[in-house]
Amino acid sequence: MHAPPAPAVSRGGGPRAVCLRYCAATAAVFLLLLALVASRWTPLTDTDRRIAVAFHAFGVRHPGWTRVNRVLSDHVWDPSTMRALLAVCLLVLLWRRAGRQALWLALCGVLGWVLQQAVKAAVGRPRPHWPDPLATAPYAAFPSGHAMTAAISCGALVWVFRLRCPGAGRLPRAAVWSLAAVSVAGVGLTRVYLGVHWPSDVVGGWLLGAAVLTGTAALCQPWRTPAPPP
């Protein structure tokens, strides 16, 4: 009996190589941003402050929009909500005996939280301070935990949807992608609007979240399926 042919390898090296490249790229940009934040690079801090002041002034003048942003930030896109969605998906995957994908989600969530807390403690960046705050938040500012958790959770959920539902139509795919994109971008906007983060905190959260997502994917390879029984 002839052995089955070896799977073709794409010019890019396959999905694992692609994930490693994205992980390296996002991690490199994050480290550069981290260095600029830690050194208090003046052009960055000045840009952060100008944007934050403009958003805060708008929020003070429009309390209705501020209430909407607080609901979105504190409930709809709160890290607890994002992690709960990830946990539900993980349980479903375990029930469907998709252990590799479940392991990936668990590793994403745990490693993301650990890195987020470690970087916050190491950098110790103060949050914006206002005489008339629109909201308050604990811990240090960089990176944004809301932005990072949303990037990891939404990215992982979209990826699992693609893996588990390859035959989904164009409309469901567009809906899932749009919901994820709006959530990731929206939560970053709400954190700056409410004056609890500098814009670079949000960008840092997105970058570190993307690095965790792609790095753990390269490690766990959630696209692989168990070999059929002989």
Side-chain angles (χ1 to χ4, degrees):
M1 185 175 66
H2 296 289
V9 178
S10 67
R11 293 179 62 184
R16 185 171 183 270
V18 173
C19 285
L20 287 173
R21 287 199 295 271
Y22 274 105
C23 179
T26 51
V29 179
F30 171 78
L31 290 175
L32 174 60
L33 180 61
L34 172 63
L36 297 178
V37 168
S39 64
R40 300 181 181 180
W41 191 51
T42 302
L44 177 65
T45 56
D46 288 348
T47 301
D48 273 342
R49 180 161 294 280
R50 283 197 301 269
I51 296 173
V53 167
F55 270 102
H56 181 74
F58 183 89
V60 170
R61 295 195 306 268
H62 300 84
W65 279 110
T66 300
R67 285 192 293 271
V68 170
N69 276 267
R70 291 200 62 168
V71 170
L72 291 173
S73 180
D74 296 343
H75 301 287
V76 179
W77 294 323
D78 184 76
S80 297
T81 305
M82 295 289 104
R83 294 189 186 107
L85 291 174
L86 211 60
V88 170
C89 184
L90 187 153
L91 292 175
V92 171
L93 290 172
L94 288 175
W95 178 64
R96 299 294 298 270
R97 299 183 180 179
R100 183 182 293 273
Q101 294 169 0
L103 174 63
W104 175 52
L105 293 190
L107 187 58
C108 278
V110 173
L111 182 60
W113 182 83
V114 170
L115 285 177
Q116 169 197 318
Q117 296 301 321
V119 175
K120 279 180 178 289
V123 177
R125 188 186 201 185
R127 292 181 183 269
H129 177 74
W130 311 102
D132 48 354
L134 304 177
T136 58
Y139 310 117
F142 184 88
S144 166
H146 279 68
M148 183 176 176
T149 305
I152 291 174
S153 301
C154 292
L157 293 173
V158 168
W159 207 336
V160 168
F161 174 80
R162 288 191 61 191
L163 293 173
R164 305 298 302 182
C165 306
R170 182 178 299 176
L171 185 59
R173 291 200 307 269
V176 169
W177 275 98
S178 298
L179 184 60
V182 168
S183 297
V184 174
V187 72
L189 180 65
T190 65
R191 301 308 282 168
V192 178
Y193 181 102
L194 293 172
V196 292
H197 274 296
W198 307 107
S200 56
D201 300 335
V202 171
V203 175
W206 286 336
L207 288 169
L208 187 55
V212 169
L213 186 70
T214 51
T216 54
L219 178 65
C220 298
Q221 301 182 65
W223 51 84
R224 290 180 56 187
T225 56

